[in-house]
Amino acid sequence: MSSLFPTNNASYVTSFNQGHLALPPAKKYIVVTCMDARIEPASQLGINLGDAHVIRNAGGRAEDALRSIIISQRLLGTREIAIFHHTDCGMLTFSTPMLRDLVKKAEPGNQTVSGLVDQIDFQTFSHLEESIKQDVQYLKEHPLVLEDTEITGWVYEVETGKARQIQ
Amino acid sequence: MSSLFPTNNASYVTSFNQGHLALPPAKKYIVVTCMDARIEPASQLGINLGDAHVIRNAGGRAEDALRSIIISQRLLGTREIAIFHHTDCGMLTFSTPMLRDLVKKAEPGNQTVSGLVDQIDFQTFSHLEESIKQDVQYLKEHPLVLEDTEITGWVYEVETGKARQIQ
């Protein structure tokens, strides 16, 4: 599908007029959200090009985003973090031991695969709103996150397109 | 700035008609790219809602994305990965020791801060195209990435809006 990027991008380039935007995010905030295919932060939250850092990973987990958040805050001036998890998230459907087993069973007896996958915490969760509260708390308490950071937590509903704040 | 999300999102919801989209990405691919504020993968690459997983972190680094990639491939059926790094990336402007020093100097004598930041590899790079080739190679060789995965590497130019393939 990446074979379509050149054509799609050529169309974008014809109307591109944002080459002047600076490296630091103009609105000084970070959105952390899931990699889910039904999420598109720019249009769903009204983020203009140049405004915010957007960090995305499986689940929109804060711990996984920590390296990026430190860089964003210390070097590029962001001072607010909004965490979005979403309904019907894949992370609600499995557990770390389940995925480890699945990967090992795909290559039985492969000790390299087995050793590597056992080191990974897949950071799944079993309750949507709790996972958001946990991630807000994780960042609020983390010694490497700036103390004066405003941190909020949100649910995005893939069924309705609605975003609602819970923290 | 998250205070603007409810108003912005209410506008999005009025024209939302994509509530039927399924959890697995329809086009079975992953885009890995930077958190940079000037990057908006959906419009810049022509990714339709529901088509692809989008993973974003500081630099668009593959190693940082590994947990998410494994989940995407093993549980949600993706079979292609496109890695995008970009011109004028913040990751070209510092090194891990520099950022560790900066964080420690902000809280002199704080052993907790010092101990935690010394454990983080910030995954900076000093050459844009080399960093993309390294990340493509990293995934091609990684025992936990499926062997038949098509992996491509791209530069996105923030000055022109252009995307060009280099691997």
Side-chain angles (χ1 to χ4, degrees):
Chain A
M1 285 305 148
S2 66
S3 56
L4 297 176
F5 290 161
T7 309
N8 296 345
N9 176 253
S11 160
Y12 177 79
V13 168
T14 53
S15 59
F16 182 79
N17 60 1
Q18 304 284 290
H20 61 284
L21 291 172
L23 171 54
K27 300 283 173 63
K28 301 184 189 299
Y29 70 93
I30 303 170
V31 169
V32 179
T33 191
C34 188
M35 66 178 175
D36 192 281
R38 297 162 294 181
I39 293 182
E40 203 184 274
S43 55
Q44 289 163 351
L45 306 174
I47 306 172
N48 291 321
L49 204 67
D51 275 2
H53 279 149
V54 179
I55 300 168
R56 299 181 61 175
N57 62 51
R61 299 313 311 254
E63 185 179 347
D64 194 274
L66 186 66
R67 176 186 70 90
S68 300
I69 288 170
I70 294 168
I71 293 169
S72 176
Q73 291 201 318
R74 305 289 177 145
L75 298 175
L76 295 161
T78 55
R79 289 296 176 268
E80 183 180 346
I81 305 171
I83 303 209
F84 279 79
H85 295 177
H86 65 95
T87 55
D88 196 37
C89 186
M91 301 295 281
L92 290 157
T93 66
F94 71 101
S95 67
T96 291
M98 279 169 61
L99 182 48
R100 285 179 181 161
D101 281 353
L102 189 149
V103 170
K104 289 177 201 171
K105 280 180 183 158
E107 295 191 57
N110 187 326
Q111 295 302 315
T112 306
V113 162
S114 171
L116 286 168
V117 80
D118 278 344
Q119 291 168 33
I120 302 179
D121 174 358
F122 287 101
Q123 302 176 31
T124 58
F125 45 84
S126 53
H127 189 284
L128 175 57
E129 301 207 358
E130 280 309 310
S131 75
I132 299 167
K133 289 176 188 168
Q134 277 168 18
D135 278 8
V136 168
Q137 196 66 17
Y138 172 85
L139 293 179
K140 282 189 172 167
E141 289 174 356
H142 201 288
L144 297 180
V145 175
L146 293 176
E147 270 194 42
D148 56 352
T149 310
E150 185 184 338
I151 305 173
T152 53
W154 306 69
V155 170
Y156 175 75
E157 300 178 355
V158 295
E159 301 84 1
T160 62
K162 282 185 195 161
R164 57 186 163 82
Q165 186 169 5
I166 63 155
Q167 279 259 293
Chain B
M1 286 304 148
S2 66
S3 56
L4 297 175
F5 289 161
T7 308
N8 295 346
N9 175 252
S11 160
Y12 177 80
V13 168
T14 52
S15 58
F16 181 80
N17 60 2
Q18 305 284 291
H20 61 283
L21 292 172
L23 171 54
K27 299 284 172 62
K28 301 185 188 297
Y29 69 94
I30 303 171
V31 169
V32 179
T33 192
C34 188
M35 68 178 175
D36 192 281
R38 297 161 296 180
I39 291 180
E40 204 185 275
S43 55
Q44 289 162 351
L45 305 175
I47 306 172
N48 291 321
L49 203 68
D51 275 3
H53 279 150
V54 179
I55 300 168
R56 299 182 61 176
N57 61 52
R61 299 312 312 253
E63 185 179 345
D64 194 275
L66 186 65
R67 176 186 70 89
S68 300
I69 288 171
I70 295 167
I71 293 169
S72 176
Q73 292 201 316
R74 306 288 177 146
L75 298 175
L76 294 162
T78 55
R79 290 296 177 267
E80 183 180 348
I81 305 172
I83 303 210
F84 280 79
H85 295 178
H86 65 96
T87 56
D88 195 38
C89 186
M91 301 296 280
L92 290 157
T93 66
F94 70 101
S95 66
T96 292
M98 279 169 61
L99 183 47
R100 285 180 181 161
D101 280 354
L102 189 149
V103 169
K104 288 177 201 170
K105 280 179 183 157
E107 295 189 59
N110 186 327
Q111 295 302 314
T112 307
V113 162
S114 174
L116 286 169
V117 81
D118 278 343
Q119 292 167 34
I120 302 180
D121 174 358
F122 286 103
Q123 303 175 29
T124 59
F125 47 83
S126 53
H127 190 285
L128 175 57
E129 301 207 358
E130 281 309 310
S131 76
I132 299 167
K133 289 175 187 167
Q134 277 168 18
D135 278 9
V136 168
Q137 196 66 18
Y138 172 84
L139 293 179
K140 282 188 173 168
E141 290 174 356
H142 202 288
L144 297 181
V145 174
L146 294 176
E147 270 194 42
D148 57 350
T149 310
E150 184 183 340
I151 306 174
T152 55
W154 306 70
V155 169
Y156 176 75
E157 301 178 356
V158 295
E159 301 84 1
T160 63
K162 281 184 194 160
R164 55 185 164 85
Q165 186 168 3
I166 62 156
Q167 280 258 295

